[in-house]
Amino acid sequence: MPKDAAVNTDALDERVPQGPRSRVSEMQAKLHRWAAADPGRRFDDLFNFVYDPATLLVAFDRVAGNTGARSPGVDGLTVVDIEAAIGVPGFLNDLRTQLKEGVFRPLPVRERRIPKPGGSGKVRRLGIPTVADRVVQAALKLVLEPIFEAVFEPVSYGFRPMRRAHDAIAEIQRFGTKGYRWVLDADIEACFDSISHTALMDRVRARVKDKRVLALVKAFLKAGVLTELGYQEDSFAGTPQGGILSPLLANIALSVLDEHVHGPWRPGGIMSTPSRRARRRGKNLPNWRIVRYADDFVVLVHGDRQDVEALREDIVHVLEPLGLRFSEAKTRILHMDEAFDFLGFRIQWKRKRGTDKWYVYTFIADRPIRSLKDKIRALTSRLSQQRPRDVLIRLNQIMRGWAHYFRHAVCQHTLDALENFVWWRVIYWWKKLHRWNWRDVRRRLTGPNGRWRRPAADGIELFNIASVPVTRYRYRGIKIPNPWITPDHA
């Protein structure tokens, strides 16, 4: 689940001088324009853009600005180490020389296992590349993303510029309201670890002709993994989670699914207009719509259960050449009145209280609420000896990000309950920490007028999560802006 509601703007960082930023932005705009104008075009001579000094400078700045900048790869170096010991200009010049002379070779990624959310006991394998590999991957992404964004379908929302999880939820709500209430709630088993390299490279070759770029992408796929136990494993499939380029490569591979399922909606397709869709329903034929966020997707069907089952079998054959398959335990077919979870939200078609009208509602799913409460409990343990100010800062950060993400759901009652929960957690902890009784609490947390004040420590006040305004997120559809289309070329 995404941590906050921020749009992936993919904007160039302001710390990079205007000259390099402008050069990279202009290069991306041209590539996107050419790719959109000719969907069958295969791009050659892209490698010089990858090792262009401006591209590498922008790429390094993006790597340095990521939270993972403090995590070293197999060489043990972090961004801070490079800035202090080598210097950014020298590091980038050396990297550019290696790329230009064709001697650059990516190192294996360092494996790190983290627990999956939900308390299932399962772990997710992350692969941490070296800083040099991250910079080259970021440079490749700057060059490849505008090309492939020109042909990606509008029903994909994960890890794409100017798109967010809320757009996917809004689309589900919109089409559920229009009668698409049978759902294929799909889960691809170990998607990032299982994607076929051959199938993925075939998709990349469909748009990229430059052999040096293709060789570089393949080298990253085949770089291997250094496990936590110190063993090196070869990579025969998959794109390591943790790499900057991996989400784009996964989207390129899964665009096969988007094109297949969404194809009837394209101009001239059997579902391309409202009248054609209405005629199909008049003949008792189904209509469907896929909504995908990275490897999570649902297929909404205006039809019946048998139509969803047929689509499921069809999608199985689409995923098979990619080396992917459904998780039998997590993939299910249901009607929207049963409710299902997607991207942290629980979506359900239900009757509005006190009326005979039915609507598609989005609530906060149970698991994100449990996860938030677990974090609050861990920070406010009665045995904790941390400084109250530091704990309040961390609590406020967590709650603000969480509430900002979920504030578009039907959630005022949930926010009120969470506010009550965190308030009592902090009070009980402080009673233990300061040896207060209830009279001490009232004396310190009520004003002269007898009203309760917010708990505060050293100028930091506990954030009131219930004060976050709950607003409806408006469906943007085809109005989602493109970062590379300027007004002159719109």
Side-chain angles (χ1 to χ4, degrees):
M1 183 189 69
K3 292 184 179 179
D4 55 41
V7 178
N8 177 19
T9 60
D10 231 17
L12 302 180
D13 199 301
E14 292 294 336
R15 292 172 297 177
V16 180
Q18 182 64 31
R21 289 177 59 247
S22 296
R23 177 177 171 82
V24 172
S25 182
E26 291 172 4
M27 176 268 293
Q28 290 184 304
K30 288 180 180 178
L31 290 174
H32 183 78
R33 191 164 63 249
W34 294 336
D38 184 2
R41 177 171 179 169
R42 297 181 66 212
F43 286 78
D44 203 353
D45 200 22
L46 292 175
F47 197 67
N48 60 326
F49 287 136
V50 175
Y51 67 75
D52 186 282
T55 307
L56 292 176
L57 181 59
V58 172
F60 180 86
D61 205 72
R62 290 190 175 178
V63 171
N66 289 339
T67 54
R70 299 185 296 271
S71 301
V74 294
D75 60 359
L77 296 177
T78 66
V79 170
V80 174
D81 297 332
I82 289 171
E83 291 174 336
I86 306 172
V88 176
F91 172 76
L92 293 182
N93 284 337
D94 182 57
L95 193 58
R96 181 173 185 268
T97 300
Q98 292 182 48
L99 288 168
K100 191 174 181 179
E101 294 179 357
V103 297
F104 174 82
R105 296 292 182 273
L107 294 175
V109 297
R110 181 171 68 87
E111 181 190 58
R112 183 182 176 190
R113 295 174 181 261
I114 61 172
K116 288 188 175 182
S120 63
K122 297 181 179 180
V123 296
R124 176 179 287 119
R125 297 179 64 188
L126 294 182
I128 304 175
T130 64
V131 175
D133 291 350
R134 276 177 259 176
V135 172
V136 177
Q137 286 191 33
L140 275 170
K141 183 173 183 286
L142 287 169
V143 174
L144 295 178
E145 188 173 49
I147 295 173
F148 285 95
E149 275 292 327
V151 294
F152 282 163
E153 298 292 347
V155 292
S156 167
Y157 294 99
F159 304 108
R160 294 184 58 188
M162 310 301 288
R163 291 165 175 259
R164 51 160 73 101
H166 300 89
D167 292 311
I169 299 299
E171 181 151 329
I172 293 172
Q173 187 171 22
R174 176 184 177 86
F175 281 91
T177 302
K178 291 180 176 293
Y180 293 69
R181 298 195 187 103
W182 278 99
V183 181
L184 171 62
D185 183 12
D187 183 89
I188 299 177
E189 189 170 354
C191 177
F192 280 83
D193 297 330
S194 305
I195 292 176
S196 165
H197 289 172
T198 301
L200 172 56
M201 289 305 300
D202 286 344
R203 296 292 294 178
V204 177
R205 289 189 190 96
R207 298 294 282 168
V208 177
K209 192 177 179 181
D210 192 320
K211 292 183 178 180
R212 295 169 297 176
V213 171
L214 294 172
L216 196 54
V217 172
K218 188 173 183 179
F220 279 116
L221 293 175
K222 300 293 185 182
V225 178
L226 185 67
T227 68
E228 291 182 335
L229 299 177
Y231 300 108
Q232 184 167 337
E233 296 179 352
D234 293 330
S235 302
F236 299 106
T239 61
Q241 294 188 63
I244 293 176
L245 194 60
S246 294
L248 175 60
L249 295 179
N251 271 334
I252 291 172
L254 290 173
S255 63
V256 175
L257 173 64
D258 302 337
E259 291 168 4
H260 181 82
V261 182
H262 187 67
W265 285 77
R266 287 183 169 184
I270 58 176
M271 303 176 197
S272 57
T273 65
S275 60
R276 290 184 177 183
R277 295 192 291 272
R279 280 198 296 270
R280 285 180 59 81
R281 290 307 299 140
K283 297 176 182 178
N284 204 29
L285 295 174
N287 295 317
W288 57 82
R289 181 88 173 185
I290 185 173
V291 180
R292 184 173 67 83
Y293 191 96
D295 59 333
D296 294 327
F297 71 92
V298 296
V299 180
L300 310 175
V301 178
H302 193 175
D304 54 35
R305 185 182 184 90
Q306 289 71 30
D307 298 322
V308 188
E309 291 172 348
L311 270 172
R312 184 187 187 283
E313 294 306 312
D314 186 40
I315 292 174
V316 166
H317 297 304
V318 175
L319 294 177
E320 191 174 2
L322 297 175
L324 303 177
R325 60 181 181 180
F326 285 135
S327 168
E328 296 298 332
K330 297 181 180 179
T331 300
R332 58 185 185 142
I333 295 173
L334 54 96
H335 193 272
M336 205 173 278
D337 60 8
E338 299 177 49
F340 66 98
D341 294 351
F342 189 64
L343 303 179
F345 293 87
R346 180 166 61 88
I347 303 168
Q348 185 174 17
W349 185 59
K350 61 182 298 184
R351 182 176 58 84
K352 183 178 181 180
R353 185 181 301 175
T355 72
D356 292 328
K357 296 182 179 180
W358 289 64
Y359 299 95
V360 177
Y361 289 93
T362 56
F363 305 96
I364 304 176
D366 292 336
R367 194 166 77 175
I369 296 174
R370 289 198 306 269
S371 177
L372 177 64
K373 285 185 174 181
D374 288 344
K375 292 177 182 178
I376 293 171
R377 288 190 184 100
L379 285 167
T380 58
S381 168
R382 297 186 193 184
L383 302 178
S384 173
Q385 296 297 312
Q386 296 186 70
R387 292 176 57 202
R389 183 181 189 275
D390 296 339
V391 173
L392 289 184
I393 289 174
R394 185 61 186 141
L395 280 173
N396 291 350
Q397 290 173 340
I398 292 172
M399 289 192 296
R400 279 196 175 96
W402 192 92
H404 188 57
Y405 179 79
F406 286 110
R407 65 192 176 97
H408 301 299
V410 180
C411 63
Q412 190 59 63
H413 177 75
T414 302
L415 296 181
D416 290 338
L418 287 170
E419 160 59 20
N420 184 64
F421 172 80
V422 71
W423 193 91
W424 282 107
R425 288 292 306 185
V426 170
I427 296 304
Y428 281 135
W429 169 45
W430 283 5
K431 285 180 66 179
K432 182 75 173 180
L433 181 69
H434 301 301
R435 302 175 186 268
W436 289 349
N437 57 31
W438 185 244
R439 183 177 296 176
D440 296 324
V441 174
R442 287 190 61 88
R443 186 173 68 252
R444 285 172 169 81
L445 292 182
T446 56
N449 57 2
R451 293 184 176 180
W452 287 98
R453 296 190 300 238
R454 302 294 301 166
D458 298 330
I460 302 299
E461 185 176 281
L462 179 65
F463 175 65
N464 183 0
I465 195 171
S467 67
V468 174
V470 177
T471 60
R472 181 180 178 183
Y473 187 84
R474 298 293 177 180
Y475 174 69
R476 295 193 295 166
I478 60 173
K479 296 180 181 178
I480 298 177
N482 187 301
W484 302 297
I485 296 181
T486 61
D488 296 336
H489 299 98

